[in-house]
Amino acid sequence: MQKIRNIAIIAHVDHGKTTLVDKLLHSSNLFREGEESGDLILDNNDLERERGITIVSKNVSIQYKDVKINIIDTPGHADFGGEVERVLKMADGVILLVDAFEGPMPQTRFVTQKALGLGLKPIVVVNKVDKENCRPDEVYESVWELFFNLDANDEQLEFPVLYGSSKQGWMSTDWKKPSDSFEPLLDAILEHIPPAPTNEGTLQMQITSLDYSSFVGRIAIGRVARGVIKENQPISLVKRDGKIIKSRVKELHTFVGLGKMKVAEVKAGDICAVVGIDGFDIGDTIADFENPEQLEVIHIDEPTMNMLFTINNSPFFGKEGKFVTSRHLHERLYKEMEKNLALKVVPTDSADAFLVYGRGILHLSVLIETMRREGYELQVGQPQVILKEIDGQKCEPVEILIVDVPADVSGKVIELVTQRKGELLIMESKGTLQHLEFEIPSRGIIGLRNNILTATAGEAVMAHRFKSYEPWKGTIPGRLSGVLVSMEKGQTTAYSIDKLQDRGRFFVDPGVDVYEGQIVGEHIRENDLVVNIVKGKQLTNMRASGSDDNTRIAPAIKFSLEESMEYIQGDEYIEVTPKNIRLRKIFLKEADRKVNAKKFQ
């Protein structure tokens, strides 16, 4: 019987999870001498590499002292909490990674709470002890305090702790005495993480994640909780609602190194991929053919935000994308819902528009960015928080916001947050930085990051996590200034941009195609202003001295997708195509905007 340990790696975003997995893979001699493996081996899609974050959890395994260690790398960002919650079901223990300077962050708290609640055994790794200003001993104390506050049991409170630097490739039980390898961590996994339980009896396996192959279709991934699963075995698929579908396993694969290996059977305790089952969803149970027994269904926290997704109906419709119709949009969103558990899609009165519910702006923007890279053209509306009625009272989601900022600009941050109905809870010094904690409605966080980064010259570090639904806090002021809207369709000219510069800042460069109703800049006043940005200079053969000055144009402001989502108001859309992100008014003609103005007040 093969000895198995199943372990998930959890941490706040940017504390070094994926780098740690890289080093574990290297230390188990998975790569040949001199083989080029690169870094961040598991962040293998373009979006993950560009943003430097993990979005989808991954499975790999290594061999160490005749024990197979299945490692699950999880995302660290709050918006992908749904991903973390379900994959923890496959683990028997967790490695909690904490930065030696920052200590436990809001996201650490969120995933640690889930792991402790499932009764998983933790190993704490204080990472990045090679950094300046690091404070490993204080961080250890604050992790213990966090566990205590999260009601960890006595066994969980006696967690082993290791110190090290994933980047430099060493771990040790004493941070003042660096070792030269990762063996202390691997030994701690074998010693402290319980072996995977080998439960005898009829087959039970919960599907906790899925993969897709263009050859065999959808592949179910999960841990065998009881019994044995074999190739060609007839099984019952128990759906979340208790309905049973009879099916058959075609192929079985276990995770070996970075890839998969085909096997004839998998025993309880190991993680495997099952090919050949149709119609399954995450959370379903693969059970015995004759006596199917269902495992407890995975519960995922509710979404807190929604956005309207609709087809692109601007004058530039269909010029840049491959998939532009409502049928394409419908199919793609429902396909996403199969694997993205925290996402919900609801049809609206219009056949062309869908309400998409998600965990936050990053969660939704990653979906939109993935779709535009696949060739979709669509428009999205302003993100809205989801309101609930609790005991006859209108309630909204409230979050804990943590900002670390240089002390001399902390006053600006407090002012910006309190304007948006935030309440200051904690203010303390942390090294050279001021550590601020607020309670703020989720609505207040939309659009706040840009303002804080501008006010602090980019030095603020922000993190937030969902706390609970609380009574409505009142209206929050929206965008302070109006926008400049194009009056005509055509190509922008340097001459007209130059002449209009005193009216505001522009989002477009000269020589760009625009259409009537497109937002081309930000007005200096509170109202919207319609401008003619395509007018050229009247050229005559008369010349006057001084009238032919060169135009001096300030560079255009370029918004990322998230910045655009935070910028727009209720009467505006973002037009997203594979090549461009444009802002526009929902009603392109000025007369229509005036008629419908009351709808958006």
Side-chain angles (χ1 to χ4, degrees):
M1 177 64 200
Q2 194 182 15
K3 297 174 194 157
I4 295 171
R5 303 282 191 280
N6 296 318
I7 190 153
I9 297 190
I10 57 176
H12 183 79
V13 65
D14 224 17
H15 279 195
K17 289 181 301 303
T18 307
T19 310
L20 179 80
V21 178
D22 284 0
K23 290 295 188 283
L24 285 172
L25 293 171
H26 281 291
S27 61
S28 64
N29 302 324
L30 263 186
F31 304 103
R32 293 190 307 277
E33 264 316 288
E35 184 182 348
E36 192 59 51
S37 61
D39 55 358
L40 301 182
I41 303 163
L42 291 193
D43 281 355
N44 49 12
N45 81 35
D46 294 345
L47 258 181
E48 290 184 316
R49 283 190 164 272
E50 282 167 31
R51 290 166 183 250
I53 58 172
T54 303
I55 294 170
V56 183
S57 62
K58 326 265 189 328
N59 296 61
V60 290
S61 81
I62 57 174
Q63 279 303 122
Y64 180 68
K65 293 186 178 170
D66 79 358
V67 177
K68 178 183 181 183
I69 304 174
N70 284 316
I71 302 170
I72 307 155
D73 183 24
T74 63
H77 211 286
D79 287 21
F80 307 110
E83 192 77 26
V84 181
E85 283 169 58
R86 60 165 208 248
V87 297
L88 286 178
K89 288 267 190 175
M90 293 196 274
D92 297 304
V94 292
I95 293 180
L96 172 63
L97 203 64
V98 186
D99 185 296
F101 170 67
E102 291 183 350
M105 295 288 278
Q107 201 42 48
T108 321
R109 184 187 183 92
F110 172 80
V111 286
T112 309
Q113 191 170 8
K114 299 283 176 200
L116 294 177
L118 288 167
L120 303 180
K121 176 82 184 164
I123 292 178
V124 173
V125 173
V126 179
N127 193 21
K128 304 190 184 183
V129 294
D130 53 322
K131 272 169 78 170
E132 288 176 39
N133 307 338
C134 69
R135 39 194 195 103
D137 297 327
E138 285 174 53
V139 167
Y140 168 72
E141 293 295 328
S142 49
V143 172
W144 196 92
E145 221 167 279
L146 172 72
F147 277 44
F148 183 76
N149 293 338
L150 293 175
D151 298 331
N153 61 35
D154 294 348
E155 197 187 343
Q156 288 171 329
L157 279 173
E158 289 173 14
F159 54 82
V161 61
L162 289 121
Y163 302 90
S165 162
S166 304
K167 203 170 181 183
Q168 294 179 355
W170 64 269
M171 285 287 152
S172 166
T173 47
D174 182 350
W175 64 278
K176 291 171 187 148
K177 296 178 189 162
S179 68
D180 54 2
S181 74
F182 256 71
E183 284 192 5
L185 175 60
L186 291 163
D187 289 332
I189 291 174
L190 300 197
E191 187 184 336
H192 297 285
I193 300 297
T198 54
N199 301 324
E200 300 291 322
T202 55
L203 169 66
Q204 269 188 321
M205 168 182 160
Q206 189 157 45
I207 299 169
T208 44
S209 134
L210 55 88
D211 202 353
Y212 184 81
S213 147
S214 46
F215 298 110
V216 294
R218 293 167 75 222
I219 302 167
I221 297 172
R223 182 172 79 165
V224 183
R226 193 174 73 189
V228 180
I229 186 166
K230 299 178 180 171
E231 208 173 14
N232 283 326
Q233 178 182 354
I235 53 109
S236 299
L237 181 69
V238 187
K239 305 290 288 174
R240 295 176 80 111
D241 55 7
K243 201 170 119 205
I244 294 173
I245 301 169
K246 300 296 183 188
S247 191
R248 184 180 287 275
V249 175
K250 281 189 187 153
E251 282 180 16
L252 280 175
H253 298 262
T254 54
F255 292 89
V256 176
L258 289 170
K260 296 192 193 94
M261 181 174 81
K262 193 173 170 191
V263 290
E265 67 172 41
V266 179
K267 293 187 173 140
D270 205 354
I271 295 172
C272 68
V274 182
V275 175
I277 299 173
D278 291 326
F280 66 83
D281 291 301
I282 287 171
D284 294 351
T285 305
I286 295 174
D288 187 61
F289 186 75
E290 306 206 330
N291 306 312
E293 289 176 52
Q294 186 174 16
L295 283 161
E296 189 188 341
V297 176
I298 301 171
H299 168 72
I300 297 289
D301 286 356
E302 290 288 301
T304 56
M305 197 169 273
N306 68 22
M307 278 177 89
L308 186 76
F309 279 50
T310 176
I311 58 165
N312 185 9
N313 59 2
S314 81
F316 294 165
F317 153 79
K319 282 189 176 177
E320 294 166 2
K322 278 194 297 193
F323 308 111
V324 294
T325 65
S326 57
R327 179 177 64 82
H328 289 137
L329 188 61
H330 175 274
E331 282 173 5
R332 178 67 181 80
L333 288 174
Y334 278 88
K335 186 175 149 197
E336 183 69 26
M337 232 172 35
E338 287 178 353
K339 63 173 189 285
N340 196 332
L341 274 200
L343 199 79
K344 209 164 91 188
V345 179
V346 178
T348 61
D349 303 341
S350 158
D352 298 337
F354 304 89
L355 267 180
V356 178
Y357 290 77
R359 269 299 203 21
I361 285 201
L362 185 68
H363 185 205
L364 292 166
S365 76
V366 163
L367 167 63
I368 298 166
E369 183 64 43
T370 311
M371 286 172 68
R372 74 178 277 231
R373 290 179 184 215
E374 289 169 7
Y376 285 83
E377 259 188 37
L378 66 151
Q379 292 182 148
V380 293
Q382 185 188 24
Q384 306 282 350
V385 298
I386 298 166
L387 305 176
K388 285 184 179 174
E389 194 163 303
I390 302 171
D391 300 333
Q393 222 178 357
K394 181 159 90 165
C395 292
E396 63 174 334
V398 170
E399 309 211 9
I400 298 282
L401 169 71
I402 293 185
V403 187
D404 289 329
V405 66
D408 54 335
V409 284
S410 59
K412 289 181 187 170
V413 173
I414 295 169
E415 185 188 346
L416 283 168
V417 178
T418 45
Q419 278 172 1
R420 290 166 171 260
K421 301 280 188 272
E423 285 174 39
L424 183 63
L425 305 175
I426 297 172
M427 182 175 181
E428 58 191 21
S429 294
K430 187 172 164 185
T432 55
L433 298 175
Q434 201 77 20
H435 175 78
L436 307 171
E437 283 191 32
F438 301 91
E439 230 177 60
I440 181 172
S442 297
R443 293 176 296 142
I445 290 179
I446 300 174
L448 182 64
R449 184 179 294 273
N450 283 350
N451 297 351
I452 284 187
L453 289 177
T454 308
T456 60
E459 289 198 48
V461 178
M462 282 175 67
H464 55 91
R465 67 179 171 88
F466 173 71
K467 181 186 170 226
S468 60
Y469 270 85
E470 291 180 16
W472 175 260
K473 303 265 197 256
T475 53
I476 291 175
R479 196 170 59 203
L480 300 174
S481 44
V483 288
L484 302 174
V485 184
S486 175
M487 181 191 290
E488 287 184 31
K489 185 177 175 181
Q491 217 171 52
T492 57
T493 63
Y495 171 77
S496 53
I497 292 178
D498 182 42
K499 293 288 177 256
L500 290 165
Q501 278 192 114
D502 56 343
R503 294 303 179 92
R505 305 179 302 162
F506 282 92
F507 303 155
V508 288
D509 291 311
V512 174
D513 287 322
V514 295
Y515 51 79
E516 182 185 359
Q518 184 177 333
I519 295 170
V520 291
E522 183 174 72
H523 193 200
I524 51 171
R525 298 219 169 98
E526 288 174 20
N527 61 317
D528 294 348
L529 182 70
V530 179
V531 294
N532 186 347
I533 196 175
V534 299
K535 189 167 79 172
K537 185 176 182 185
Q538 293 298 319
L539 294 178
T540 67
N541 55 5
M542 300 288 283
R543 289 283 178 270
S545 67
S547 66
D548 286 335
D549 287 345
N550 290 336
T551 53
R552 287 193 187 88
I553 297 172
I557 299 167
K558 299 291 184 206
F559 281 153
S560 69
L561 182 58
E562 275 110 276
E563 287 167 343
S564 305
M565 287 161 72
E566 294 187 338
Y567 185 78
I568 62 168
Q569 297 295 298
D571 63 338
E572 294 160 5
Y573 277 156
I574 306 167
E575 178 189 351
V576 182
T577 72
K579 293 183 184 164
N580 285 296
I581 294 172
R582 302 185 185 94
L583 306 183
R584 55 160 285 185
K585 289 288 183 184
I586 293 179
F587 295 100
L588 297 178
K589 297 205 176 302
E590 193 181 2
D592 295 343
R593 288 201 290 277
K594 284 180 177 165
V595 170
N596 292 284
K598 282 206 171 74
K599 277 188 192 175
F600 301 107
Q601 280 171 359

